[in-house]
């Protein structure tokens, strides 16, 4: 039955030969494992583009096999240097979601500062330094602290409970201005200059245009990489408008613009963000809820499977 087919969207972040980099403790997929995974996915699935995936979701395209779409968050440099050449050779068209402030202003997103600090420092040393820094900036910052350990573990299933709690607190549980000041200070002390680091970490606009010429689709991933549900209306609208404007100004026109929610769990964005994305002309948006997608599904809450689970079969219809 045609209607039984699903669209599996796979989500990637770091794709690098970690043991040979300066930050071997970063969490990511090795390049060889990535290549092997793409080959296995290609043999099991029909590899989709954003256009064919959209046509599948609206019911205009009835594929003969399940579809698989590859997506890459955060506009990391290796998506240009390693991922794009491999996919182009295989004639696979991935989507790459850029954080526009990282490309335009050479900023390092707080979430990435946190990754690199955790990879560079002993966890207890880092967490201790971070909390001391926050308390020094704002003595009662943690007064109402109440972290949901279950939610934290669900959000970061690959981390130890204490690391998951820390990441959950860092990303969702505290004043983002305060967090950013603390993490920027620690980053400057332990890692180095932010702009120089951003230059190495993220693609440039020119590289993104070359990725488009290689058949890749570029999408939006906000301007600032903050959880959209935490933003007031003005900042939310400004962030999404800025992201959209910078994509259109700096990139080659595309038939379809898509979007990926930072953090991406269902509670990290809400209907105001969806409405604004629709108004700006984005055609679909991807979450990080790990469900496969069916014909007629909501195109603004498209489910994605983490690359660590990409080849594990999920029973049709029971996921999510
Ligand atoms: Zn992201």
């Amino acid at each position: 039955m045609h209607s039984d087919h699903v669209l599996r969207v796979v989500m990637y972040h770091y794709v690098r030969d970690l043991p040979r980099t300066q930050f071997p403790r970063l969490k990511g997929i090795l390049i060889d494992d990535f290549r092997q995974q793409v080959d296995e996915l290609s043999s099991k699935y029909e590899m989709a583009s954003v256009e064919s995936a959209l046509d599948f979701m609206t019911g205009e395209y009835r594929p003969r096999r399940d579809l698989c779409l590859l997506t890459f968050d955060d506009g990391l440099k290796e998506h240009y240097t390693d991922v794009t050449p491999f996919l182009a050779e295989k004639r696979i068209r991935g989507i790459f979601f850029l954080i526009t402030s990282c490309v335009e202003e050479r900023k390092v997103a707080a979430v990435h500062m946190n990754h690199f600090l955790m990879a560079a420092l002993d966890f207890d040393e880092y967490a201790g330094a971070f909390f001391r820094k926050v308390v020094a900036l704002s003595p009662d910052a943690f007064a109402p602290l109440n972290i949901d350990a279950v939610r934290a573990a669900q959000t970061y299933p690959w981390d130890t409970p204490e690391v998951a709690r820390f990441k959950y607190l860092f990303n969702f549980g505290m004043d983002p201005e305060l967090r950013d000041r603390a993490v920027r200070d620690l980053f400057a002390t332990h890692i180095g200059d932010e702009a120089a680091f951003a230059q190495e970490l993220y693609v440039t606009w020119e590289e993104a245009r070359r990725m488009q010429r290689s058949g890749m689709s570029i999408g939006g991933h906000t301007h600032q990489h903050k959880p959209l549900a935490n933003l007031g209306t003005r900042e939310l609208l400004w962030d999404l408008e800025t992201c959209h404007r910078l994509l259109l100004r700096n990139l080659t026109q595309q038939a379809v613009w898509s979007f990926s929610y930072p953090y991406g769990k269902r509670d990290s964005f809400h209907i105001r963000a969806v409405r604004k994305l629709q108004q700006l002309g984005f055609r679909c948006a991807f979450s990080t809820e790990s469900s496969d997608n069916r014909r007629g599904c909501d195109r603004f809450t498209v489910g994605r499977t983490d690359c660590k689970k990409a080849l594990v079969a999920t029973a049709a219809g029971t996921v999510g």
Side-chain angles (χ1 to χ4, degrees), residues 12-13 72-75 97 99 109 111-112 115 221-222 225 260-264 288 304:
Y12 297 90
H13 291 87
F72 302 83
D73 280 6
D74 301 336
F97 298 106
I99 308 164
V111 67
H112 295 145
H115 291 162
H221 193 40
T222 72
H225 205 275
S260 144
Y261 302 103
Y263 309 101
T288 58
R304 293 193 293 174

Side-chain angles (χ1 to χ4, degrees), residues 12 15 30-42 47 70 72 78-94 96 211 214 216:
Y12 297 90
V15 183
L30 305 179
I31 293 174
D32 279 345
D33 292 346
F34 168 71
R35 290 185 177 139
Q36 192 186 331
Q37 183 171 82
V38 171
D39 286 340
E40 283 179 50
L41 289 168
S42 307
M47 300 309 283
L70 306 182
F72 302 83
E78 65 255 41
H79 299 166
Y80 168 70
T81 55
D82 296 288
V83 172
T84 292
F86 177 74
L87 295 186
E89 185 193 308
K90 304 263 167 190
R91 299 183 180 279
I92 295 170
R93 304 179 57 212
F96 298 79
M211 291 163 76
S214 298
M216 305 302 142

